[in-house]
Amino acid sequence: VATRLPMFTAVYSDRVIRLGCFIGRPDTWGDAGGYYSKLAYSFTSGEQLGWIMFGILSNFDDPELAPLRAYLRDLAKTRVAALQYLCYGEMLRPPVLSVPGLPVEWNWFSDTHKGLLPAVLCQAWRAPNGNVAVALCNWTAEDREVTVPTGEGWQASGETARLCQAGEWSKLEGLRAGGVRMAVPAHPALVVERG
C-alpha cells in the first residue's frame, strides 16, 4: 500500500481518468479502514470513485452501511464541485503534511495487502485556467489539524483561499505566509483553492 505511486496519473492526468481502487467486502469489515482509505486515495489522486464490488452495492441500503454511503456521497459531491482540478487538471507535486502514517489493510480481490498511509491524504492540482488547489481527505475516524504548506504554484497566488466541502465552496480563514492551517474532520473530502 505504502509503495503505490500515482505515476500514471502524474503523467497522464490531463488526458485520461483512471478507474479507482477496487473495494471488496473485506474492506468494509471492522472499522472499514480499507473502504475509507481506498476512496480517499482515489479522490485525492483524481481517479473515478467507486470500483465497488456489487455485493456491497446491492446491500448499500442497509442502515449499518449509512456511514459508508454518506462518505461516498460526500466525496462525489466535492469531486463534482472541483472537477476543474480533479478531472481536468494537472497533478502537481503533493504538499508534505505533518500527519502520522497509520496501518491499513487493502483487499485486492482475494489478496490482502498491508501497509502505512498518511492519516490525511493530500494532492495538489492545477486547473486548466492556472489556478492551484489541494485535495485533502482524512480517511480516519479522528479529526486532524494540518497546515497545508505553500507549494508548487502557490507562491504566485493571491492572498485569499476557498474551501470546498460536501460540494459547497466557502471562504477559508487561517491563511498565512507559510500556508493554510485548518482542521480536517474525520472522513471528509476537502479541496483548498488559493486565489
Side-chain angles (χ1 to χ4, degrees), residues 113-136:
H113 301 273
K114 296 180 180 184
L116 294 174
L117 277 181
V120 178
L121 297 176
C122 181
Q123 181 60 58
W125 291 90
R126 181 183 295 123
N129 67 3
N131 289 348
V132 175
V134 174
L136 299 155

Side-chain angles (χ1 to χ4, degrees), residues 42-175:
S42 294
F43 173 80
T44 57
S45 297
E47 297 176 346
Q48 295 179 41
L49 301 175
W51 182 16
I52 300 174
M53 190 174 117
F54 182 73
I56 297 170
L57 292 176
S58 63
N59 294 318
F60 235 37
D61 58 351
D62 183 334
E64 289 185 19
L65 298 181
L68 305 186
R69 285 193 307 274
Y71 183 66
L72 180 59
R73 184 172 37 252
D74 182 53
L75 266 65
K77 285 180 180 178
T78 304
R79 179 177 163 74
V80 168
L83 282 178
Q84 71 270 28
Y85 298 107
L86 299 173
C87 183
Y88 304 116
E90 173 191 0
M91 181 183 270
L92 303 175
R93 180 173 299 180
V96 177
L97 303 181
S98 294
V99 294
L102 300 175
V104 67
E105 285 188 17
W106 281 9
N107 173 264
W108 198 256
F109 298 98
S110 60
D111 295 329
T112 299
H113 301 273
K114 296 180 180 184
L116 294 174
L117 277 181
V120 178
L121 297 176
C122 181
Q123 181 60 58
W125 291 90
R126 181 183 295 123
N129 67 3
N131 289 348
V132 175
V134 174
L136 299 155
C137 205
N138 177 1
W139 59 272
T140 73
E142 293 180 31
D143 296 349
R144 307 280 175 179
E145 281 280 329
V146 300
T147 298
V148 181
T150 300
E152 184 178 346
W154 285 55
Q155 293 91 336
S157 298
E159 295 304 316
T160 62
R162 292 192 315 155
L163 172 70
C164 183
Q165 184 173 9
E168 299 292 328
W169 287 95
S170 62
K171 185 177 178 181
L172 179 65
E173 304 298 331
L175 185 62

